[in-house]
Amino acid sequence: MKIKMLLLAMGLLFSLPGLASANHLEQSDHGEKAPCDCHDEGKHHHHMMHKDWQAHMAEKEQKLLAWVDQYTPNKKAEWTKVLEEKKALRNKWMSPENASKREQWKKERMAKMEELKKQFDQGKITKEEYIQKAHDGKVMGHWKTFHELRLAVEKKDNQQAANLLNQLLEQYKQHNQKMNEMLTK
């Protein structure tokens, strides 16, 4: 049962970047923006998911910038630049020009996950090793840091909030660097 839940959670985790980057508008053949065709051919469910995800991400970004204003106002310009770069990289990654790179990345990722699952099922790696390797050695730091930041803000711990904002800024920069590397492959 735990394995099924783990696999389900990982499946959702790996599908979220695509949802986060989904664009409500699609390019037409003439380069103009056209409304998303999510309502056609049973795509409504997908549309609702990426619409909600986009709203969630915009809300999270606004909350983050408000905290930056409050706890690290001297870093506002740097944060704004990093967040704009993150959006631009995500849009570039999700563009039709990079569809083959996305598909290749997805194939490699799925093959790696299958191999890890096989190793886990055979008892060659532990559950902890499986999770660690599935996340490329990282522990989803930015999600954890954001959660800790929210708690520090709730507790009105100004020093901790400032420290966590600085840590999160570095994690966003690393993420942007990784995205740049994936785009230049």
Side-chain angles (χ1 to χ4, degrees), residues 98-110:
N98 285 305
S100 62
K101 286 182 183 181
R102 281 193 316 273
E103 285 303 312
Q104 182 61 33
W105 176 82
K106 186 177 178 181
K107 284 179 189 173
E108 290 170 5
R109 197 80 182 127
M110 294 309 291

Side-chain angles (χ1 to χ4, degrees), residues 21 112 143:
S21 304
K112 179 181 176 183
W143 289 359

Side-chain angles (χ1 to χ4, degrees), residues 132-168:
Q132 185 75 6
K133 289 179 179 185
H135 293 295
D136 293 326
K138 59 184 187 267
V139 190
M140 301 312 289
H142 60 283
W143 289 359
K144 183 178 181 220
T145 305
F146 188 84
H147 177 71
E148 290 172 355
L149 172 60
R150 183 181 299 143
L151 293 175
V153 168
E154 287 173 6
K155 292 178 183 176
K156 302 192 184 319
D157 185 342
N158 295 1
Q159 183 63 43
Q160 180 70 354
N163 290 340
L164 290 167
L165 278 166
N166 290 332
Q167 183 179 336
L168 195 58

Side-chain angles (χ1 to χ4, degrees), residues 42-65:
K43 296 180 184 176
H44 179 70
H45 177 70
H46 167 75
H47 172 71
M48 291 309 295
M49 287 177 67
H50 76 238
K51 182 179 177 185
D52 292 344
W53 182 255
Q54 285 178 326
H56 172 73
M57 294 309 291
E59 181 182 317
K60 182 178 174 182
E61 183 178 312
Q62 290 307 312
K63 191 178 295 186
L64 193 55
L65 288 173

